Amino acid sequence: MSSHTEDGRPTRSTRRTFLTASAAATAATIAVPLAGTPAAAAEAITPPGPGHPAKPQQPGRELTALLREVDRARIEATVRRLAAFGTRHTLSSQDDPVRGIGAARDWIYEQLSGYAAASGGRMTVELQSYVQQRASRIPTPTRITNVVATLRGDVTPNRVYVITGHYDSRATDVMDAVSDAPGADDDASGVAVVMELARVMATRRTEATIVFAAVAGEEQNLYGSAYLAKELKAAGVDCQGMFSNDIVGSSTADDGTRDPRTVRLFAEGVPTAETSSEASTRQSVGGENDSPSRQLARFVSDVADNGATGMGVRVIYRRDRYLRGSDHISFLQQGWPAGRFTEPAEDFAHQHQDVRVVNGVQYGDLPEFCDFEYITKVARVNGATLWSLAQAPGTPKRVTIVTSNLTNDTTLRWQRGEEPDLAGYEVVWRETTAAEWQKVLAVGDVTEVTIALSKDNVFFGVRAVDRDGHRSPVAFPKPGS
């Protein structure tokens, strides 16, 4: 390990010294189990080399208590109430008190405002509106309104994590704003997840800020989420993670098979907003599987694939399904890490379909086809993820792997975080053929380390750890000097 003297000159230690210092840092600085890859996804044989085998982060008492408060009955009531508005099509009525998107908007706002009232002023709720001019699937100027609840963090409020579900719905014809479009699974289920987590977290203190948003205009072209993302960008927030919950309502596939314990998480490899220069760097280092969104997905598996949620997280290395796209894409376009939660296998008779019976088969996105216990477990996966992100230090910034000269060692540098409870950092590494982090080394509260392992042969990452053992997502280093 290398660090710097008080006058800035680098110091260098031997391999034996590094390993001894690493062990000391583990004992003195981070007195909790090392975290990393979920056991189910870990490699069967960890590679030889410095560090300990990576292990998942176990939920603490606060998180366990939070997950127990997620209420199945409330989630079911939310899905049924949203479906009862008849249609929530973006082009439907905005001023009818009982039917249409306006009625749904007002009800969501009322519910979230009630949750915010119990927050001691930490949660605020707003109707975020703009007029979308004529565009794809918008034939006339149309008001798009997101319902946004913001739970302000106590320590690093400008570090933000976002969760969305879209409250608009559609029938078979995407321009049909009149027919019934109950949208129970797509996407009252996702809105129910967002609203229930807003309720549960409103009374709790978090270090970072969480934004709970019911967005509109998704079925027409992601209009609401695009506006939300642009507004956050304009406000200069540091959005370090976003999750769209879209079609998370059923565990039953079109052939009748059930998988009530798996949720898919779609996470892109090559970043949507990647520049040509960044593409050239990625190609040179082989970083196709190490985008910020992939690191975020690994974090989800690390903290939410366990007995406390009752779920397994199946990470899909793809931005989204074929022929589909959800609101996380709006955040990817702004250069932020994001992913999409969705059910394990879909029944397309209950998505984007007019409500009707054909040859004895019921079509339409009705509440009777939802699995409310499944939605509850998806909410727990999201809850475990958001809580773990908001209580941990932020993802390390300006992480660099030194490539200015030829060496069989690896030197990493990064910028120290500003969190007052920051304890130090861990370096993680894996074979280039491995999908998950395999080894972890505690290196203490430093901003530079040299490891006796060739950067040419493995992938490295850096994550932050606080005094309570909360770990950040991993930052993948960029080559530099």
Side-chain angles (χ1 to χ4, degrees), residues 320-393:
D320 211 324
R321 300 114 73 232
Y322 284 105
L323 303 178
R324 296 290 180 89
S326 190
D327 292 304
H328 64 301
I329 294 174
S330 297
F331 285 74
L332 295 172
Q333 290 169 339
Q334 296 300 324
W336 290 325
R340 182 229 176 105
F341 285 112
T342 200
E343 60 200 31
E346 300 165 76
D347 187 341
F348 299 106
H350 305 139
Q351 296 176 22
H352 297 189
Q353 293 283 348
D354 291 339
V355 178
R356 66 196 191 281
V357 177
V358 179
N359 296 326
V361 176
Q362 177 69 65
Y363 287 82
D365 192 354
L366 299 163
E368 65 197 72
F369 298 113
C370 286
D371 179 342
F372 299 108
E373 182 60 32
Y374 177 79
I375 304 173
T376 303
K377 289 187 289 187
V378 173
R380 292 190 178 116
V381 168
N382 279 265
T385 300
L386 290 172
W387 179 260
S388 299
L389 287 167
Q391 298 302 77

Side-chain angles (χ1 to χ4, degrees), residues 248-318:
V248 294
S250 175
S251 59
T252 304
D254 52 5
D255 62 359
T257 58
R258 295 186 67 242
D259 184 358
R261 295 187 178 276
T262 302
V263 62
R264 288 184 291 173
L265 174 58
F266 284 84
E268 71 174 13
V270 177
T272 294
E274 183 179 70
T275 66
S276 58
S277 175
E278 289 168 338
S280 178
T281 298
R282 173 180 53 78
Q283 290 165 353
S284 71
V285 303
E288 294 80 7
N289 197 20
D290 282 283
S291 67
S293 295
R294 292 276 167 90
Q295 306 301 350
L296 188 64
R298 291 183 177 109
F299 182 90
V300 174
S301 295
D302 195 32
V303 302
D305 187 332
N306 54 47
T309 65
M311 291 287 272
V313 179
R314 183 182 181 186
V315 178
I316 308 294
Y317 287 167
R318 183 170 285 136

Side-chain angles (χ1 to χ4, degrees), residues 34-226:
L34 292 170
T37 308
E43 303 299 320
I45 300 176
T46 56
H52 298 273
K55 297 179 181 178
Q57 300 189 52
Q58 297 302 315
R61 286 182 295 178
E62 285 183 303
L63 176 54
T64 301
L66 182 155
L67 298 180
R68 287 174 179 163
E69 290 182 25
V70 177
D71 191 330
R72 178 194 181 281
R74 286 179 178 271
I75 285 174
E76 178 174 356
T78 296
V79 172
R80 292 189 181 279
R81 182 67 190 92
L82 289 171
F85 287 109
T87 180
R88 305 186 306 277
H89 194 282
T90 298
L91 305 178
S92 64
S93 173
Q94 301 215 18
D95 52 20
D96 188 314
V98 296
R99 182 181 175 88
I101 195 166
R105 172 202 64 212
D106 294 344
W107 182 81
I108 295 169
Y109 178 78
E110 179 183 17
Q111 298 302 305
L112 289 176
S113 296
Y115 305 153
S119 72
R122 292 186 302 279
M123 179 179 282
T124 57
V125 183
E126 64 172 317
L127 293 174
Q128 183 189 72
S129 296
Y130 81 103
V131 175
Q132 175 61 51
Q133 299 301 318
R134 292 181 59 185
S136 173
R137 297 183 176 182
I138 302 290
T140 60
T142 301
R143 181 165 295 279
I144 307 288
T145 303
N146 301 321
V147 190
V148 182
T150 302
L151 180 63
R152 183 176 173 83
D154 292 336
V155 180
T156 51
N158 197 53
R159 174 163 56 98
V160 173
Y161 302 97
V162 180
I163 176 176
T164 69
H166 70 87
Y167 72 99
D168 60 307
S169 64
R170 60 165 289 183
T172 302
D173 180 356
V174 72
M175 301 304 292
D176 181 357
V178 177
S179 299
D180 282 350
D185 191 2
D186 185 15
D187 184 37
S189 64
V191 175
V193 167
V194 171
M195 293 179 65
E196 180 62 5
L197 291 180
R199 182 189 72 84
V200 169
M201 292 189 177
T203 56
R204 290 174 160 85
R205 292 185 176 276
T206 58
E207 295 189 8
T209 295
I210 304 176
V211 173
F212 307 85
V215 298
E218 191 272 350
E219 300 289 6
Q220 304 311 108
N221 199 13
L222 313 182
Y223 288 110
S225 61

Side-chain angles (χ1 to χ4, degrees), residues 20 50 77 114 213 235 250 297 332 339 418 424 438:
T20 302
S250 175
L332 295 172
E418 299 178 353
Q438 297 172 304

Side-chain angles (χ1 to χ4, degrees), residues 448-470:
E448 178 177 319
V449 64
T450 295
I451 299 171
L453 198 62
S454 173
K455 58 185 171 292
D456 294 325
N457 298 337
V458 302
F459 287 133
F460 286 97
V462 178
R463 65 187 178 193
V465 189
D466 69 14
R467 288 194 291 266
D468 292 325
H470 300 124

